[in-house]
Amino acid sequence: MGRVCHHPCETACNRVQVDNAVGINAVERFLGDEAIRRGWTIEAPPVTSGKKVLVVGSGPAGPSAAYHLRRLGHEVTIREAQARPGGMMRYGIPHNRLPREVLDAEIDRILTLGVTLETGTRVDDVLAAQRDGGFDAVFLAAGAGIGRRTYIPAGDSARLLDAVALLSGMEGEGPPLLGRRVAVYGGGNTALNAARTARRLGATDAVVVHRRTRDRMPAHDAEVAEALEEGVRTKWLSTIAHADDGRITVERMELDETGFPQPTGEFEELEADTVVLALGQDSDLSLLAEAPDLHVDHGTVEVADGLMTGHQEISAGGDMAPANHTVTVAVGHGKRAARHIDAYLRGTSYEPGPEHPPADGARLNTSYYSDAPATVRPLLELARRVSTFDEVVQGLDESTALFEARRCMSCGNCLECDNCYGVFPDNAITKLGPGKGFAIDVDYRKGCGLCAAECPCVAIDMVPEE
Ligand code: FAD
């Protein structure tokens, strides 16, 4: 996650009121790398429940569910169609964003818990697989691995390829041949990954053709910025009308009053040896054909709150379920599904604990915090970026990671700064020792609210007496 997550959590960080958001993602990556470097492991509990769960797919959602189910005492088997585990983390996200030795180490840690992984084992019929294997529950995490196609009139010798085929081909015996000039059709992160990969494979010209404008493209800003630095060109407000040997015809679009792109009838030609289609992915739902209770809507499996499908004992998550297609969501789905499956197997229902109320940024005493601008993660030098698949974004060293972690203002959580202790009159507050916080003697306090007002991080709330 410290590598591939686009860290939307940082947009909610209260630290922006002082300088910039805490680099949560950078710290997370440091911790992940530290865990691998030091060989941190997790205790494998014995299988106590006597229940067996089948997980279909080894992308982020599947192993996340397997990890939690195993720790909850169940026997878990992951079946994976591909030769190696990881899903789109291996067959989509390029090496320069996620080195495979990191992915392998993370998956190994989960397998070491006693999770069984069967690769090269496609599940063709989910009900038959459940029945034949004697599984008490199934978690479907088969992702969305089929590159979406669109009709582009093309001459016989035009070379069209989808982005998933290009990127998964990078895991094969030899990279696909693209030629010197590559046009990528689409505006998401996959399009940019494909264009950046084309540059690394030797394309002197990699152009992303997108029918909208930059501010309306779904790709993340950092991904766009890095691609532009690497020499990827963009052609906004354009669609590909025709592809032929070595060239494509592009139609200029303009946005109507609702912001939707409309054709203009104006065309131009661009040179392109290969057209890579990056128009999104669909799920292969053929394994559900014999399961009539499993409902599909707009190409995804319908799920209820706990990710349960219409068929008891089967739940689904990650890209197969209706949600944002990100690794974060997939990992979260795995965890949520595991809790509900566990409860189902035990004949109970899972009730999430109460959520912490959000720490109100307006109540923070930001003057107690000193300026400490966010650490900027270094990038690999440009020349190496475009000629190798080495990792682009570099990690933090230990002292920088500690500095970055200390920028956290601990919103809503006592950081034992002693402010309340200092302002409280009449010894009404006692220190309990490091990490234990304070005890407030309600018989002595006066209700003046000074402690709450002087708390830097909104850890004290005043509530009316009964
Ligand atoms: P997947 O990762 O797709 O894994 C599903 C697995 O199930 C696959 O291994 C597949 O082989 C297996 N499978 C399918 N059918 C069967 C079957 N019948 N039997 C057995 N196994 C089966 N997200 C981010 O958060 N950050 C990024 O930077 C990012 N970059 C991306 C770049 C690209 C090029 C792509 C394509 C996606 C990217 N994503 C990114 C999205 C992210 O990878 C997905 O949202 C995430 O991997 C979905 O996880 P999943 O477990 O649902 O499915």
Side-chain angles (χ1 to χ4, degrees):
M1 298 309 310
R3 287 180 164 80
V4 301
C5 180
H6 294 289
H7 43 83
C9 57
E10 291 180 18
T11 59
C13 176
N14 285 326
R15 176 97 210 178
V16 287
Q17 294 179 31
V18 179
D19 34 48
N20 336 87
V22 175
I24 302 167
N25 187 252
V27 174
E28 193 171 9
R29 166 162 166 186
F30 172 79
L31 286 170
D33 286 351
E34 202 62 4
I36 293 171
R37 196 174 67 81
R38 297 189 187 211
W40 290 346
T41 52
I42 296 150
E43 286 290 296
V47 175
T48 48
S49 71
K51 303 286 185 189
K52 285 171 65 179
V53 184
L54 171 65
V55 171
V56 183
S58 69
S64 165
Y67 166 81
H68 289 284
L69 285 163
R70 186 63 196 80
R71 295 193 74 201
L72 289 162
H74 308 296
E75 188 182 330
V76 188
T77 300
I78 304 177
R79 288 204 181 136
E80 168 54 55
Q82 294 271 19
R84 307 212 49 202
M88 281 301 168
M89 297 185 295
R90 184 182 305 279
Y91 293 102
I93 300 176
H95 291 230
N96 48 287
R97 301 210 45 235
L98 179 55
R100 298 309 187 249
E101 60 274 17
V102 175
L103 178 60
D104 289 340
E106 297 286 352
I107 293 172
D108 278 351
R109 194 188 293 122
I110 294 173
L111 298 182
T112 309
L113 286 177
V115 169
T116 304
L117 169 68
E118 296 171 3
T119 51
T121 313
R122 190 186 164 75
V123 174
D124 292 316
D125 175 345
V126 64
L127 295 188
Q130 183 189 10
R131 190 181 53 240
D132 298 346
F135 293 103
D136 300 285
V138 181
F139 178 55
L140 294 170
I146 304 175
R148 206 170 284 157
R149 288 266 170 173
T150 187
Y151 175 66
I152 298 177
D156 288 344
S157 45
R159 187 165 156 66
L160 272 74
L161 177 78
D162 74 65
V164 175
L166 162 64
L167 294 165
S168 63
M170 299 301 297
E171 295 300 311
E173 279 157 19
L177 296 174
L178 297 174
R180 310 297 286 173
R181 300 153 309 179
V182 177
V184 181
Y185 198 21
N189 292 320
T190 303
L192 292 160
N193 282 318
R196 295 175 71 182
T197 298
R199 285 283 289 141
R200 285 163 172 78
L201 289 175
T204 45
D205 187 29
V207 57
V208 172
V209 178
H210 181 48
R211 64 197 186 116
R212 294 171 186 262
T213 46
R214 173 171 175 173
D215 54 326
R216 285 167 186 268
M217 76 189 286
H220 286 100
D221 285 347
E223 196 87 59
V224 180
E226 284 173 26
L228 296 177
E229 281 165 16
E230 291 168 11
V232 169
R233 292 194 304 122
T234 51
K235 191 115 192 92
W236 312 124
L237 286 174
S238 306
T239 56
I240 300 181
H242 191 269
D244 224 322
D245 186 16
R247 57 185 54 249
I248 55 173
T249 308
V250 166
E251 179 169 12
R252 196 177 73 76
M253 309 294 279
E254 62 188 14
L255 298 181
D256 64 18
E257 58 286 351
T258 64
F260 199 77
Q262 298 293 351
T264 60
E266 292 171 31
F267 297 90
E268 76 174 288
E269 288 206 334
L270 297 178
E271 293 186 332
D273 301 314
T274 306
V275 177
V276 179
L277 303 175
L279 302 165
Q281 288 99 238
D282 293 316
S283 299
D284 176 357
L285 301 172
S286 56
L287 77 166
L288 313 181
E290 302 301 320
D293 306 341
L294 274 155
H295 301 295
V296 171
D297 186 26
H298 290 89
T300 55
V301 179
E302 273 184 16
V303 286
D305 250 8
L307 299 171
M308 295 290 183
T309 67
H311 187 99
Q312 221 184 15
E313 299 169 356
I314 299 184
S315 41
D319 283 2
M320 275 192 109
N324 284 342
H325 286 194
T326 68
V327 175
T328 317
V329 168
V331 169
H333 276 184
K335 181 178 183 180
R336 180 141 55 103
R339 288 175 166 172
H340 286 273
I341 293 169
D342 171 63
Y344 168 75
L345 293 176
R346 293 179 194 282
T348 58
S349 64
Y350 173 70
E351 297 299 335
E355 289 205 354
H356 291 290
D360 179 3
R363 280 182 53 207
L364 286 167
N365 281 311
T366 50
S367 57
Y368 281 116
Y369 299 91
S370 44
D371 283 352
T375 314
V376 177
R377 277 189 277 190
L379 300 185
L380 190 69
E381 61 185 91
L382 199 52
R384 266 180 69 197
R385 269 163 66 178
V386 286
S387 57
T388 69
F389 282 89
D390 291 352
E391 189 166 18
V392 171
V393 181
Q394 306 294 296
L396 304 182
D397 60 33
E398 182 170 326
S399 66
T400 318
L402 285 170
F403 171 85
E404 192 56 35
R406 286 194 197 106
R407 294 182 62 246
C408 173
M409 303 198 302
S410 192
C411 304
N413 294 305
C414 176
L415 42 72
E416 296 179 15
C417 66
D418 287 357
N419 264 13
C420 56
Y421 183 73
V423 299
F424 232 116
D426 305 331
N427 299 331
I429 188 160
T430 317
K431 285 204 219 188
L432 299 177
K436 297 193 178 121
F438 303 87
I440 298 175
D441 187 333
V442 284
D443 291 335
Y444 279 94
R445 51 149 202 97
K446 296 198 165 65
C448 64
L450 205 53
C451 57
E454 288 305 314
C455 174
C457 58
V458 208
I460 302 177
D461 270 325
M462 297 296 290
V463 289
E465 258 175 325
E466 293 280 309

